Amino acid sequence: MTYPYQPQVPMDGPAPGVRYGARMSRFIAYLIDGFIMSFVIGIFVVIGTVITAASVSPDATSVGPMALVGTLLMLLGGILALLYKPYFWSRSGQTPGYKMMGLKVVRAADGGPVSFGTGIVRLIGYLISGIVLDLGFLWILVDGKRQGWHDKIANTVVIAA
């Protein structure tokens, strides 16, 4: 005997055969990307500082024109750090850390690729997620779709690639 209503089996992810990214994998990917960004910023800051320090006069009363180059290098490092994640999210959905951990950021609505603008919104969501004792990141632990506040703000999900 068949019944007109068949209960649906809950899906592991946003579509059949797709799984949400594991919580620990997301955390490890976050650490990997943080290390990469810190390393890159560090290189720019060290080079910029050396150039700036070398342009100071021996009596430390004036600064030469190369100080501007050093300052611009440090600023460039900061800009690269800000654009790192949105660039990779919009290019392939995977930062190097996400790629290593087999994760991908996609639109929650249809699983499509994330635009650069959505990546910027998601990055702003990172700031909001971290502003209150990282509660927005910890939300991943209790949310059924494993979305942090940044995911909810940008309408994204992280899936297993």
Side-chain angles (χ1 to χ4, degrees):
M1 176 176 204
T2 61
Y3 296 97
Y5 171 74
Q6 296 293 325
Q8 295 292 322
V9 177
M11 294 185 292
D12 288 335
V18 178
R19 295 182 336 258
Y20 291 115
R23 293 170 181 99
M24 187 55 72
S25 295
R26 288 183 72 171
F27 178 68
I28 294 169
Y30 182 81
L31 292 177
I32 291 168
D33 288 326
F35 176 78
I36 292 169
M37 287 190 312
S38 297
F39 183 75
V40 171
I41 292 169
I43 289 172
F44 279 92
V45 168
V46 167
I47 293 171
T49 302
V50 168
I51 290 172
T52 302
S55 71
V56 175
S57 67
D59 59 359
T61 57
S62 64
V63 178
M66 288 303 288
L68 177 61
V69 173
T71 302
L72 290 175
L73 275 173
M74 289 185 269
L75 180 63
L76 179 61
I79 291 170
L80 288 175
L82 284 175
L83 298 178
Y84 171 88
K85 287 185 179 191
Y87 169 78
F88 283 108
W89 289 333
S90 64
R91 188 155 169 83
S92 64
Q94 297 177 297
T95 61
Y98 273 42
K99 190 171 199 138
M100 290 171 74
M101 297 308 299
L103 301 170
K104 186 175 185 176
V105 178
V106 297
R107 290 190 309 248
D110 60 5
V114 174
S115 69
F116 186 77
T118 300
I120 293 292
V121 170
R122 192 169 193 265
L123 182 67
I124 292 167
Y126 262 45
L127 297 173
I128 294 168
S129 289
I131 214 161
V132 183
L133 303 172
D134 288 335
L135 186 59
F137 293 111
L138 294 173
W139 201 258
I140 294 167
L141 300 174
V142 297
D143 188 82
K145 294 181 181 180
R146 299 181 185 162
Q147 287 179 300
W149 291 354
H150 50 284
D151 290 310
K152 293 189 179 295
I153 290 168
N155 197 28
T156 59
V157 292
V158 176
I159 60 171

